[in-house]
């Protein structure tokens, strides 16, 4: 009788190990699926960051061009201001010397 009890216990243990093996296989499949999804998400995020970086690079060039335009506009306004001030001072001096 002790051998029958041992065989029964061994059969139960084998059944339990098979059940554990199936569950671990299912867990492994799920982990593989999660890893695959995470890899895909990482690729998507990397691509989006690359696109954002490219947009910023294009914007930097535009800002540099705009800064140059503002500098030229500032120079032009300063030159015109000096001409107008010179003209006004000249007219004022002419008016003072005439009287």
């Amino acid at each position: 009788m002790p051998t029958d009890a041992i065989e029964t216990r061994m059969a139960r243990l084998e059944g339990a190990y098979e059940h554990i093996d199936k569950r671990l296989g299912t867990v492994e499949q799920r982990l593989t699926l999660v890893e695959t999804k995470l890899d895909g998400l990482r690729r998507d995020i990397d691509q989006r960051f690359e696109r954002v970086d490219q947009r910023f690079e294009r914007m930097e060039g535009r800002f540099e061009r705009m800064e140059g335009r503002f500098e030229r506009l500032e120079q032009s306004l300063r030159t015109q201001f000096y001409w107008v001030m010179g003209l006004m001072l000249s007219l004022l001096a002419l008016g003072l010397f005439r009287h």
Side-chain angles (χ1 to χ4, degrees):
M1 191 79 155
T3 57
D4 287 340
I6 291 174
E7 288 179 9
T8 304
R9 288 181 181 174
M10 290 296 288
R12 285 185 184 168
L13 281 174
E14 287 176 359
Y17 284 135
E18 287 176 10
H19 188 66
I20 290 170
D21 186 46
K22 286 180 185 177
R23 284 192 166 191
L24 286 176
T26 303
V27 169
E28 187 177 354
Q29 289 173 352
R30 288 182 177 177
L31 283 175
T32 302
L33 182 63
V34 168
E35 287 176 346
T36 303
K37 287 182 179 181
L38 286 175
D39 287 341
L41 285 173
R42 187 185 65 221
R43 279 191 301 273
D44 289 345
I45 290 171
D46 287 344
Q47 289 173 354
R48 288 181 184 189
F49 273 115
E50 285 178 19
R51 281 186 243 139
V52 169
D53 288 343
Q54 290 171 355
R55 287 180 184 171
F56 276 119
E57 288 173 4
R58 285 192 303 247
M59 294 301 289
E60 285 178 5
R62 290 179 184 168
F63 287 137
E64 289 172 2
R65 287 192 302 267
M66 285 177 58
E67 286 178 3
R69 290 177 184 167
F70 281 126
E71 287 175 8
R72 288 191 301 272
L73 179 62
E74 183 180 356
Q75 284 177 332
S76 175
L77 288 174
R78 187 177 294 125
T79 303
Q80 289 178 9
F81 173 76
Y82 290 144
W83 275 102
V84 168
M85 290 303 292
L87 181 64
M88 289 177 64
L89 290 174
S90 299
L91 291 175
L92 182 63
L94 278 176
L96 288 175
F97 289 125
R98 285 183 96 187
H99 289 292

